[in-house]
Every structure is written in C-alpha cells, then in structure tokens.
Amino acid sequence: MNQKVKKEATLLVQGYEVVIGFETHAQLATQSKIFSRASTAFGAEPNTQACAVDLALPGTLPVMNREAVACAIRFGLAVGSHVAEESVFARKNYFYPDLPKGYQISQFEIPVVQGGEVSFYLGEEKKTVRLVRAHLEEDAGKSLHEDFHGLSGIDLNRAGTPLLEIVTEPDIRSSAEAVAYAKELHKIVTWIGICDGNMQEGSFRCDANVSVRKPGDPLGTRREIKNLNSFKFMQQAIDFEIRWQIDRIEDGYEIEQATVLFDPDTGETRAMRTKEDAADYRYFPDPDLPPLAIERSWVDEVKAAMPELPRAMAERLVADYGLPEYDATTLTQSPAMASYFEEAAKTSGQAKLVSNWIMGEVSRRLNIDEIAMEAVPVKAAKLATMVGRIADGTISNNAGKQVFDALWKGEGDDVDALIEAKGLKQMNDSGELEKIIEEVMAANAPMVEQFRAGKDKAFNALVGQVMKASRGKANPQAVNETLRQKLEQG
Ligand code: ADP
Ligand code: MG
C-alpha cells in the first residue's frame, strides 16, 4: 500500500510534476434557453432560434428557467456538493462577434454549486478530484468560418443555451488521469440526465489548465487548452503541452500564462491569446436578475428522485456479484447497460460470464450496428438463458456465439429451440466420446506414437482430430481429459 502511494506521489515526467485543473462546460438538456423560451434544439437553420431576450435587445428581461436550476441541483447532489440557498448571477463583460450583447450572464462570486468531488479508478488506484464549484451560465453564439469565403458568419442559435461550468481544484497529475476524470464526469452528467453528452455537437466541452513544476515547488504558471471535445484529442493535447512546457523551461524560458488551442492535424497546441484575468471582465451582479433562491424542500425533492449513481453502483456490483473493478466500471457506462447486466446476471446466476458477454459480443455488435444499448435486440432474459446453457455445458462458448447471432438477427427467440435446430448441443455422453477418441487414435497411429515418444505437439493435433470427428460438439475439456487418459493407458 505504502509502496503504491509513494509511486503515485513521484509520478514525474523528466523530473517535473504535472498539475492539471479542469473547467468543463456541460450543456444542460432543457427544452428552452436559460433565460428565454427559445428552443435549444441542435442543428436548426442559423439564427432561427435566438430571440430578443437571448440578444438582450432593449426592453427585454431575462427570466430564469426552473429546469436549468433543477439540473444544477441534481449535479450538486450527485457529486456531494453544497447547493447554495442563494447564489448570484453576474455579467461577464467582453466583446466578441458571437456575443453581440456585450456580456455573458454567468455566476461569479457566489455559484449555485459549491465544493464536491469526483472519484474514479485509474487501473487499481482510486483517485479523487475535488471540485471548486459548478455555476450556471448562458452560452454565446458561434462563428462560422467554413461557408463564407473571406468572411465569417455568425449563428446566434446557441446564444442563451444553458451551461453548467464545472471547475476542479488542480488535483490531476497526468494526461491519463485527466481523461479518466473527464470520462467519469461525462458518465455522471449523462447518467443523471442533465446533459446529452454529445461531444461532437459541443454538449460537453473541456478546458484543461496545465502547468509543470519541480516536486515541492509552488504551482507553476498554467496554460489553458480550450475546447477539448474528444477524449483522444484531450490526451494528445495534454501530452504535447506537458512536453512543450518542460522543453521551454529547460531551454531557460519562463512559461507565460496563455489560452491555447489544440490542432488535431499537427498534434500541437498553439497560443491563441494571452490569458485575461478575472478583473478584465469587470464582473458585476446582473441588475436584471434577483439572486437565485433555492428552498431546502426543493433540494430534498430532487434528492428523493435521484437514481443510484454510477460509482456507487460499480462498488455494489463488485460487492454483490464479485466482479472485478474493471468490469464494474465498464458495465456502469450507462443506466441501460447496468440494468441489462443486473437482469441477466440475476436470472442466470452467472455474473462473470454475463459480464464477459456484455463487454465482448454484445458491445461489439452494438458498435457494428450502431445501436444504442437501450435498443439492444437480444433481451437480457435471452442472454441469461443462453449463458446458462454455456455454464451447464449444454453448448460450447463458440456455439453460444451462433445462438447469440441468431437471436440478434431475430431468427428465433427460443434459445433451446435454436440450439436444437442448429444441432449445437455438446456431446456430453462419455461413451460416445470414448468411441470417437478410440477411432481417431486408431486412424492416427503415427501421431499417437509421436506423443508417446514425448512430442507434446502431437497431443493438440489429436484434440483437433477428435473435435473434427465430433463435428465440434465434443466438450473440449472432456476431450482433453479423456484423450490424455487413453494415451497414457496405452
Ligand atoms: P480563472 O478564473 O482564471 O479561469 P481559476 O482560478 O478559476 O482561474 O482556475 C481555473 C482552473 O485552473 C481550475 O480548474 C484550477 O484548478 C486550474 N488551475 C489554477 N492554477 C493552476 C495551475 N498553476 N496549474 C494547473 N491548473 C491550475
Ligand atoms: Mg475560469
């Protein structure tokens, strides 16, 4: 144990300790915008879903969307935060073409969600990343560069879309940890249904603040990598940034605080602008919005409706079904997968085998056919029956794949009828098996001689012959045992 802790504390890259803090924007899955009734649906014609309130045209007033607040409360409860009885909206002032109103409504000094933590496993090791806060804010519009030659277009549909910005302490110590944290956070927000998690559409965007230091030194100067919207790029970007900073320092330069972008084509990060300080934004409480008051009774109501959370559930799967931590984490990817597992495991009494099938064949087919777990064509009860037939030796694992394939394609839904129709039953009659083995030994006398002369390879060849002679129906383990017995007898 001590060994492990020590190893972690000295996880160094070329003698430097890596320090990372995350800011994640999760788009909240509400029907309408955070302060207006305009729709938040993705993919509409540009500028058809921004209303006067979203643009803060004169004479309009924002009105808080209750559902967005409910999402924030759900999140706060999920990560063990304090949900503030009163929080304050502030204007963050800056100019950018996609923000024609000149300020973004956000929360600054008093956010709605305070503290909390996110835990996950990295290999065998449990890691906990502390959260500083999560605050509600509105999104800005979008600049479009591709469709206009030499010009930029502005699409304001996204203006006013509700976001929850989730900020960590600088607790992350490697790119692998960063990705594991982001995946766990992604799992949490989708699990509790506050975010659709679609990274391509920008529903879950991460900014990674990265610095390096010699162990024991105060925190180094950070650079913030903006808008990481895939886990793969996240790891690449952070790894590049770490190496870049170390090289820079080794060359005798100081790191300058900056905002950088990752270019997937070159695999490099590039400075976009030197970083602003909070003071540059001239935050002040938004005079159009009263403080956000949340009654205890509302928090209690939301709490009562909370589902079992993925980490707690994973720990329960380990305890109740004796699953390895890896399986439990994989199976709790989504509520749909977790409940599919539990139903099949309970029905069959074969938790580990069910887990192998879900992580293997089920996931593989879902991927190929691009089907969501919710729409899996083989129901949990069928998988349970099929797995039960493997466990009791009726069919081999390979025959199970044929049954599964038939179930998947809807060729039938009675497992035993499929086994019968396809002639997949394993030979469990030892007399029949002995007969086949004797025939195979008689027909392959030279191989038998070779084995007896000490050539182990001949054994596998004989097993192959027996399997072939049984047309794949012999139980491989029984073949092994019986064949060895017979060879050693002679
Ligand atoms: P800002 O308000 O300028 O964005 P914050 O203090 O809110 O700055 O920090 C933003 C994020 O950067 C947080 O996740 C925090 O943990 C992280 N962070 C702060 N200092 C460092 C540092 N020296 N190295 C790495 N991450 C840092
Ligand atoms: Mg910040």
Side-chain angles (χ1 to χ4, degrees), residues 30 43 45 55 82 86 92 155-156 179 190 197 211 217 223 248 300 313 321 358 411 415 433 457 460:
T30 58
E45 275 292 298
L55 309 183
H82 171 64
E86 207 173 275
K92 181 178 181 179
D155 175 9
L156 294 169
V179 172
T190 52
S211 67
D217 280 1
R223 303 213 311 163
R248 208 56 202 162
D300 292 340
M313 186 168 195
Y321 298 94
I358 296 177
E411 285 171 15
V415 170
L433 178 59
K457 261 197 194 155
N460 291 336

Side-chain angles (χ1 to χ4, degrees), residues 31-40 49 51 53-54 63 65:
Q31 299 286 320
S32 55
K33 303 253 172 107
I34 187 167
F35 301 117
S36 83
R37 292 180 178 191
S39 166
T40 54
Q49 282 178 180
C51 72
V53 175
D54 304 329
V63 177
N65 179 340

Side-chain angles (χ1 to χ4, degrees), residues 19-23 167-170 209-211 219-220 222 275:
V19 176
I20 302 171
F22 257 66
E23 295 165 283
V167 184
T168 77
E169 295 285 356
N209 293 270
V210 180
S211 67
L219 288 180
R222 71 192 145 114
K275 168 93 179 140

Side-chain angles (χ1 to χ4, degrees), residues 279 434 458:
E434 281 185 32

Side-chain angles (χ1 to χ4, degrees), residues 111-413:
V112 57
V113 170
Q114 304 170 1
E117 59 184 44
V118 172
S119 295
F120 51 90
Y121 274 83
L122 197 66
E124 300 276 282
E125 216 150 351
K126 188 169 181 176
K127 250 317 275 196
T128 297
V129 172
R130 292 166 302 155
L131 299 182
V132 179
R133 59 190 278 161
H135 61 256
L136 284 163
E137 63 183 26
E138 61 177 345
D139 209 345
K142 223 192 260 179
S143 302
L144 308 170
H145 304 293
E146 276 145 32
D147 298 344
F148 308 91
H149 191 70
L151 297 169
S152 288
I154 302 289
D155 175 9
L156 294 169
N157 282 353
R158 208 176 62 181
T161 295
L163 302 176
L164 190 66
E165 179 174 339
I166 303 153
V167 184
T168 77
E169 295 285 356
D171 283 352
I172 299 166
R173 290 291 172 272
S174 69
S175 62
E177 253 180 57
V179 172
Y181 161 77
K183 284 187 173 168
E184 188 64 30
L185 185 66
H186 184 268
K187 192 191 270 192
I188 293 169
V189 296
T190 52
W191 188 283
I192 61 176
I194 65 166
C195 174
D196 69 18
N198 189 325
M199 294 176 84
Q200 264 141 35
E201 290 178 4
S203 300
F204 187 87
R205 317 191 289 263
C206 293
D207 304 339
N209 293 270
V210 180
S211 67
V212 298
R213 65 174 171 188
K214 290 278 182 186
D217 280 1
L219 288 180
T221 304
R222 71 192 145 114
R223 303 213 311 163
E224 178 176 3
I225 316 170
K226 275 279 176 201
N227 279 337
L228 294 165
N229 63 356
S230 100
F231 294 123
K232 190 174 130 211
F233 293 158
M234 188 179 291
Q235 179 123 23
Q236 286 177 4
I238 295 172
D239 282 336
F240 177 87
E241 181 61 27
I242 292 167
R243 262 180 285 119
W244 185 89
Q245 289 190 16
I246 292 174
D247 286 350
R248 208 56 202 162
I249 295 169
E250 290 289 309
D251 287 347
Y253 295 97
E254 281 190 1
I255 301 296
E256 233 186 293
Q257 189 164 321
T259 302
V260 308
L261 279 183
F262 176 66
D263 180 349
D265 294 330
T266 60
E268 298 183 355
T269 52
R270 207 162 357 94
M272 188 162 82
R273 54 175 191 249
T274 54
K275 168 93 179 140
E276 306 81 358
D277 279 321
D280 296 329
Y281 291 116
R282 303 289 186 269
Y283 280 99
F284 64 87
D286 193 307
D288 289 343
L289 285 157
L292 173 61
I294 298 175
E295 284 170 12
R296 263 304 104 186
S297 58
W298 189 12
V299 177
D300 292 340
E301 229 172 85
V302 175
K303 193 185 248 166
M306 283 291 270
E308 184 183 20
L309 294 165
R311 187 90 293 280
M313 186 168 195
E315 275 159 25
R316 184 171 61 75
L317 295 187
V318 170
D320 289 2
Y321 298 94
L323 288 183
E325 177 54 48
Y326 175 82
D327 293 42
T329 299
T330 310
L331 294 170
T332 50
Q333 259 166 58
S334 67
M337 182 173 280
S339 58
Y340 185 77
F341 164 78
E342 277 216 277
E343 193 188 334
K346 274 190 192 137
T347 315
S348 66
Q350 295 290 336
K352 180 57 182 146
L353 204 48
V354 165
S355 165
N356 292 347
W357 273 82
I358 296 177
M359 296 193 301
E361 207 55 17
V362 176
S363 299
R364 195 177 72 82
R365 295 297 295 257
L366 289 173
N367 252 331
I368 292 176
D369 294 1
E370 295 183 8
I371 298 176
M373 191 69 217
E374 284 80 354
V376 64
V378 179
K379 296 293 160 239
K382 299 292 166 194
L383 183 75
T385 309
M386 198 273 291
V387 162
R389 296 298 177 266
I390 296 174
D392 69 14
T394 307
I395 56 172
S396 67
N397 201 61
N398 262 332
K401 284 191 184 157
Q402 293 182 50
V403 175
F404 182 79
D405 182 66
L407 290 169
W408 191 276
K409 290 181 181 151
E411 285 171 15
D413 74 346

